[in-house]
Each structure stands twice: as structure tokens, then as C-alpha cells.
Amino acid sequence: MKKILIAALRASVIALCALFISCGKKIMDSQTQYVFGTVCTVNLYADGSEELYAEVFKTLNGIDDKFNVNKEYSEISKVNQNAGSGNAVSVSQEVFEVVKVAKKVAKASENSFNPALGKLIRLWGIGTENARIPSEDEIADALKHCNPESIVLSQNDGKYFIEITDRETQIDLGAIVKGYGADQLAAMLESRGVKKALIDLGGNIYVFGNKSQNPDDLWRVAIRNPVNPDAEPVEVVSLKEGSVVTSGNYERYFEKDGIRYHHLLDGNTGYPAQTGLASVSVIGKQSMYCDALATAFFVAGKSGDILDKLDILEIKKIFVALDGKIVIK
Ligand code: ADP
Ligand code: MG
């Protein structure tokens, strides 16, 4: 009996060695790179090979290259450069689709989420070295050029085009592109057979696969207290697969005379949105929608009927007020 056991053990050790030799790959810990102007960390657990991590960041950088308005060669920059020229710029299908969703969320949220805020965003410069409080005249002028209707999509002969009809309107997709990136990356990894992953694109989280050290096999994502990061999380979300995205007034801001000017701008007033909220988290299957909606809800100060106007299922949301307490909105 003992002999049989030893033989079986030997055989399994040999089989295990053979497996490692045949795979020939070393499992790497989570990897971090700066993409989308923020810290992006991806953990592929047992599938984390050097090649796959290289592919992960190639995918993310490839998306940033298409969407980043601070890269003058990006597709969105090309569209912006042609604003008011009468030229519809040829774009990739993915840029077209994301702008289409952005316009859809803008419509449903009555422009609380607004992809045409580029001019206003640049004016405030929040998160850059040039952050400042613009004059009232500058704000009034920028607000004349923030209409998402000026972004016109068209298709012709299997090709995709975007045209900005107003010379001074500029697209900015900073509030949706990380979510889109997380969805794309998750799809790529699942197609490669990755069984479990944690994607964190600057706080824009996407998880899939079993988290087997938890008895229920679910992931736990903590929602930090936006008022005091050292305090206990305001909530811990359990989920099997999907995304958790938070937009908050603590992410990027500057202070002047005791007032905090944060990066979530209200296209009605031209100022950072003041709706009594410190953060909004959105939990759902598609990170792109979670991302856009976190911004939309934050700026609107409520979820209201925004969701009813979009045909997306199973969205959960957590609103945290300026005193750090969860509120229903
Ligand atoms: P973060 O990028 O910090 O995670 P968001 O997803 O909410 O937060 O995106 C904020 C960014 O989106 C801003 O830095 C700006 O580029 C852009 N933005 C600001 N206000 C709005 C708005 N009301 N609608 C759409 N985009 C916005
Ligand atoms: Mg967002």
C-alpha cells in the first residue's frame, strides 16, 4: 500500500515537473504601469506570464494612443484639430463606438456626463500644472462650445467618421475611456484563456474568475471613505464578475481660499459640480457604462431617471455625501 502511494506521489511530482517544464513560464506578480494618465495595475494570478503582461500593457497603451487628447497623433486629437473645418475625420470603429456611447449617456443624463467639455476642461486645467480659476467671461465663452450635438457621427462605405461642426468645441473622453479599456482588456484576457484577473485602471476596477480564498468565491472591492482615506471603507462590494468604478471630488483637485475645485465639471454652470456628494460608485457588468455613469451621477447629484433611459441591466450605485455617509439618491 505504502509503495503504491509513494509511486503515485512520484508520478504526480514528475507530472508536475513536466507541466512546469513544458509550459516553461514563470508566474509573475501583479504588474503596474502608468497609462491613461494614472496608475494601472493588473494581476493575472496563475496565468501571469511575462508575455501576457506585455500584451496587457500593449493593449492599454494602444487604446490610450487612440483616445488621449494630450497625444496630438491620437484619433480624438485629429477630430479635435479638424473642428469646424467641415471635414469629417476617418476614425477606427472602436473610437466611433465609444463616442456613440458617450453621446448616448450625455443624452440620457441631460449632459451631466458630457463628452464635449474639452474647452472647459482645458480652461480649468485641473490635474495639470496650469490649474486655475478662470474668469467668468472665460467660463461663459467656453460654455457656448460644449454641446455634444456638435459631435456628428457618420458611416459611409464601411468606414467610420466623426466631425465636430463647431470650431471651438473639443471632445474629451477622460470620464469613459478607462472603463472602455477595462472591458477591452477583460475580453482580451478571457479570449486568451485567463481564468482569473484583477484589473485596476486608476481605481476603475474590473474582476473575473473565482476568488477562492473567500468562502463564497466572490471578490471583495472596498469603497474608500472619500472624506477620510484612513477611515474604514464606507462599503465593501461583493461581486462574481464585473466592474466597480468610483468618481470622487478627492481624485484630482486644487484648493484656493479654502475652497476645493475638483475635476468633475458641470457643463451647466461651468464650475466643478457641487451636489453635496464626495463620491459616486457604480457597479455593473460593463465598465464603460459604470465609468460614464459614475461621472453622470456625480454631476447630476442623483441617478434619477438616467438609468431608465439607457437599456443596461443590473447597475448598482453607492452615493457618499460630503460628510462621508452613504446616501440614497
Ligand atoms: P477619473 O478620471 O478621475 O477616474 P472620471 O471618470 O469621472 O474620473 O473622469 C473625469 C475626467 O473626465 C476629467 O478629468 C475630465 O477630463 C472629464 N470630465 C470632467 N467633467 C466631465 C463631465 N461632466 N462629463 C464628461 N467628462 C468630464
Ligand atoms: Mg467616469
Side-chain angles (χ1 to χ4, degrees), residues 16-25:
L16 215 70
C17 290
L19 188 77
F20 278 122
I21 293 162
S22 71
C23 293
K25 61 180 188 190

Side-chain angles (χ1 to χ4, degrees), residues 175-176 247 291-292 295:
I176 190 170
S247 276
D291 194 3
T295 308

Side-chain angles (χ1 to χ4, degrees), residues 12-51:
S12 57
V13 169
I14 291 167
L16 215 70
C17 290
L19 188 77
F20 278 122
I21 293 162
S22 71
C23 293
K25 61 180 188 190
K26 202 170 126 240
I27 296 167
M28 293 167 76
D29 289 339
S30 68
Q31 298 291 301
T32 299
Q33 265 191 31
Y34 200 74
V35 196
F36 304 121
T38 188
V39 179
C40 295
T41 300
V42 177
N43 195 338
L44 305 178
Y45 300 91
D47 296 304
S49 66
E50 198 175 338
E51 302 77 53

Side-chain angles (χ1 to χ4, degrees), residues 11-12 43 54 56 61 90 110 170 184 188 199 236 244-245 262 283:
S12 57
N43 195 338
V56 161
N61 281 303
S90 168
E110 288 167 3
Q170 298 280 280
Q184 290 303 109
M188 183 278 269
I199 299 166
V236 178
V244 182
V245 179
H262 61 77
I283 302 115

